Amino acid sequence: MLKHNRALLPAIGAATLLATLLGAPANAAETGHGPGDSGNGGGAMTFNQPKHQAHSNAAPMQCKEMTVDGGFETPKLGKGDDYMQFDEDDVPGWRTDDPDGKIEIWGGSMGVTPRFGKQFAEINATGSYNSIYQDIKTKPNTKIYWSFWIRARDSSDGKDVDATSIHFSKTPKNDTSINGLQGQFAYSNSSDDVRWKRLYGWYKTGPSQTSTRVTLTADDSASTDAGYGNLVDGLTITEAPNCM
């Protein structure tokens, strides 16, 4: 997923500071150590449209995608299928806390065009307030840069707004909850049913953190129907900010 936007992702401090500087909601939460400490930290920003930044003469870092199937292009929907609920074992890289173990993938025939490719996912498959997540290999004490897009599902005559969050934490060894260590960095933002909205930022791993869990959670949905809301597409994570 390293083809979305070529805008650089500046690592310029904590999420609250970034939100203040850019006029975004200051609702990012850092529940581990701050960015200036020896532990984990992160920052987040949000734009409805890609942000263009000045050209840099610095040599580009090698681009390597750290996620698996961040665009939800696999498995492919069958001909004529508007959407499909797949068993989590059939979706590369991803897992879920959906009560039926399902991950719902959409095509572009239900009134929403994918932000990238031909498919995207709805976090709520059969339940509400659900999460989808995957574990990625990381280097200790290293910043990684993330980006993904969110959109609300059109489920009423009026404007619908959903809230979606991203969480990062060290991969739990004895998994008792979806976020493991309750998320050493978490950021939540809202989206409407008119356009895709981009969230992006950075996260710093801690000592000995060779595996990191990234989780996308449906915090709130405009619909009262279980299984409705929180569309996501184009998750990409890389060590190189110039690759986003």
Side-chain angles (χ1 to χ4, degrees), residues 95-159:
R95 291 292 180 266
T96 182
D97 66 349
D98 176 80
D100 292 338
K102 301 292 186 180
I103 295 178
E104 185 169 321
I105 295 180
W106 287 33
S109 58
M110 292 180 63
V112 179
T113 301
R115 185 60 183 81
F116 304 101
K118 296 181 178 181
Q119 299 181 170
F120 56 94
E122 182 176 26
I123 297 178
N124 288 328
T126 68
S128 299
Y129 307 107
N130 294 141
S131 298
I132 56 176
Y133 67 98
Q134 63 173 272
D135 297 333
I136 61 174
K137 294 181 179 180
T138 51
K139 298 175 183 176
N141 298 315
T142 300
K143 277 187 178 180
I144 56 178
Y145 299 85
W146 55 266
S147 173
F148 74 109
W149 295 74
I150 59 176
R151 181 167 169 156
R153 173 171 175 165
D154 186 3
S155 57
S156 70
D157 292 335
K159 182 179 179 180

Side-chain angles (χ1 to χ4, degrees), residues 32-42 139-143 184 202-209:
H33 299 282
D37 298 331
S38 60
N40 298 58
K139 298 175 183 176
N141 298 315
T142 300
K143 277 187 178 180
Q184 294 163 314
W202 57 267
Y203 167 76
K204 186 177 180 181
T205 61
S208 304
Q209 189 168 336

Side-chain angles (χ1 to χ4, degrees), residues 175-214:
D175 213 350
T176 58
S177 69
I178 190 71
N179 292 327
L181 304 178
Q182 301 305 314
Q184 294 163 314
F185 172 77
Y187 180 74
S188 179
N189 209 288
S190 62
S191 62
D192 60 39
D193 57 13
V194 177
R195 62 183 62 84
W196 287 100
K197 182 178 185 179
R198 185 190 184 209
L199 277 59
Y200 69 98
W202 57 267
Y203 167 76
K204 186 177 180 181
T205 61
S208 304
Q209 189 168 336
T210 57
S211 182
T212 297
R213 174 159 295 179
V214 54

